[in-house]
Amino acid sequence: MSGSVGAHRTRRHRVAEWVARYLPLEVLGTVAAVAGSWAAYETSGSIVVAAVAGTVAESVGYYALVVVRGVRGHLASHRVGRIPSPAGRVVAAVALTLRGMLAEFGPAEVLDTLVVRPALLVASAAWLGPDPRAWLVGKLAADAVFYAIAIVSFELGRRVILPDGRTDAAPARRTRAIRGSAPRPELGVAVR
């Protein structure tokens, strides 16, 4: 009986971890998409320009937080902290972040962009008609497929994606703060 309770807690913990990891990205991406589309439409008066601008803005908003989290986490990690040069630590943190992004989001992005999202948007519009509700249904269905692939990639690639291969950046900073490591002011990394 206790084994099933432990497994349930582990499952619940993982779901909470995924929500904490991906929900802020989705919110920032959505806000950026709406703002980018609106600004482009107001400037150009073109729906096509607004759609392209919204798509680009969504990607920038979404992945900006991925980059910030990754670089900060890697700068605070033991793996990068051993590098003697501040510039070397920054280069390593950026390279590790890009590698992690490709591992976590590369497969999901390729399938989403080339197959899943266009197919589900067309299918939802064909099923419900060209209506905002149809686009929302298609978007949410495509998001579900995207996150299913991204989560599998994340779980399989934790050692490559996460700083020191074990935890997200926030717990790594807490662990470091508990051990008494001082932040590196020359890099602007704040340890809370």
Side-chain angles (χ1 to χ4, degrees), residues 73-141:
H74 285 295
L75 285 173
S77 72
H78 177 67
R79 180 186 301 166
V80 172
R82 294 180 299 184
I83 299 171
S85 155
R89 287 191 294 270
V90 170
V91 168
V94 169
L96 289 169
T97 297
L98 293 176
R99 179 184 77 170
M101 287 174 65
L102 283 173
E104 184 172 7
F105 297 108
E109 278 294 343
V110 168
L111 287 172
D112 183 68
T113 302
L114 298 179
V115 179
V116 173
R117 193 161 302 265
L120 289 175
L121 288 172
V122 167
S124 65
W127 179 44
L128 298 171
D131 180 89
R133 289 174 296 156
W135 305 119
L136 180 61
V137 167
K139 181 224 184 305
L140 293 175

Side-chain angles (χ1 to χ4, degrees), residues 41-66:
Y41 184 76
E42 289 297 314
T43 303
S44 70
S46 168
I47 292 173
V48 173
V49 170
V52 170
T55 301
V56 170
E58 181 172 17
S59 292
V60 170
Y62 189 95
Y63 288 110
L65 183 56
V66 173

